[in-house]
Amino acid sequence: MENNNLRGLMQMIVRRFGFLNERCCEDCCGDDISLVQSHILYEISRQSSPSMQDVANALGMDITTFSRQVKTLVERDLVKKTPHPNDNRVNLLSLTVKGTATEQNINNEMNKYLNSLFSNLSVFERDTIIRSLDLLEETMKKSESKCCPPR
């Protein structure tokens, strides 16, 4: 496959998944959750009491932009910031009850869509795609590219 075609394929997959996630956030939550905010909620739920810097790094966001997004999520009672017990300069993040429900709603909607999408494939095709995506993700983690640094 030519590199231009490969890049175009990856761009379209990422774009379509981003649009899907964006629409999902609008439709399922009852809240006006942006795509970036949904990623923040997901990452906080994935980690155990992460620091703000940990989540910002995982998402590839600069801390200033990330802090503004977290401030909005705190104001909307979706995220709680707690000073680290050993270092008051560090804030730990957790989801509130409302934040957990919102993240779960987004997760449920995305899973419904993906299950629907994969239902059109054979078991072999589905498993092949999942294995390929796992392999791609592992390869990207190991990459030393300045364009896409490992996280």
Side-chain angles (χ1 to χ4, degrees):
M1 180 179 282
E2 289 183 30
N3 285 341
N4 287 342
N5 290 340
L6 181 59
R7 180 170 184 246
L9 176 62
M10 293 301 296
Q11 287 287 99
M12 288 309 300
I13 290 170
V14 168
R15 190 176 307 146
R16 286 188 178 145
F17 196 76
F19 286 148
L20 163 69
N21 200 349
E22 217 167 67
R23 280 194 293 271
C24 174
C25 294
E26 292 171 358
D27 296 341
C28 74
C29 304
D31 277 320
D32 186 24
I33 301 294
S34 71
L35 181 58
V36 169
Q37 291 168 343
S38 77
H39 288 298
I40 292 170
L41 295 177
Y42 173 79
E43 200 58 41
I44 293 170
S45 74
R46 195 177 72 78
Q47 299 184 38
S48 177
S49 299
S51 71
M52 288 189 53
Q53 191 65 55
D54 289 339
V55 178
N57 287 345
L59 296 173
M61 293 179 72
D62 71 273
I63 196 66
T64 305
T65 302
F66 180 77
S67 294
R68 282 193 298 270
Q69 291 292 333
V70 168
K71 182 178 183 222
T72 300
L73 292 169
V74 167
E75 289 169 353
R76 296 174 66 192
D77 192 35
L78 297 170
V79 170
K80 181 179 177 183
K81 274 175 43 175
T82 308
H84 190 286
N86 300 327
D87 187 349
N88 284 338
R89 297 171 297 170
V90 176
N91 284 300
L92 303 178
L93 300 174
S94 59
L95 298 180
T96 63
V97 171
K98 183 179 174 185
T100 299
T102 299
E103 199 283 324
Q104 191 59 53
N105 286 341
I106 295 168
N107 192 40
N108 290 341
E109 288 299 313
M110 293 299 295
N111 284 336
K112 269 196 269 186
Y113 173 77
L114 292 170
N115 287 333
S116 171
L117 182 70
F118 279 96
S119 73
N120 296 313
L121 303 172
S122 71
V123 172
F124 174 77
E125 290 169 329
R126 184 193 69 224
D127 290 347
T128 300
I129 290 171
I130 292 169
R131 278 194 312 275
S132 297
L133 290 171
D134 282 338
L135 179 61
L136 179 60
E137 198 269 335
E138 283 300 315
T139 302
M140 290 174 82
K141 271 199 279 189
K142 296 174 187 173
S143 170
E144 294 184 19
S145 169
K146 291 178 182 164
C147 176
C148 306
R151 298 269 178 229

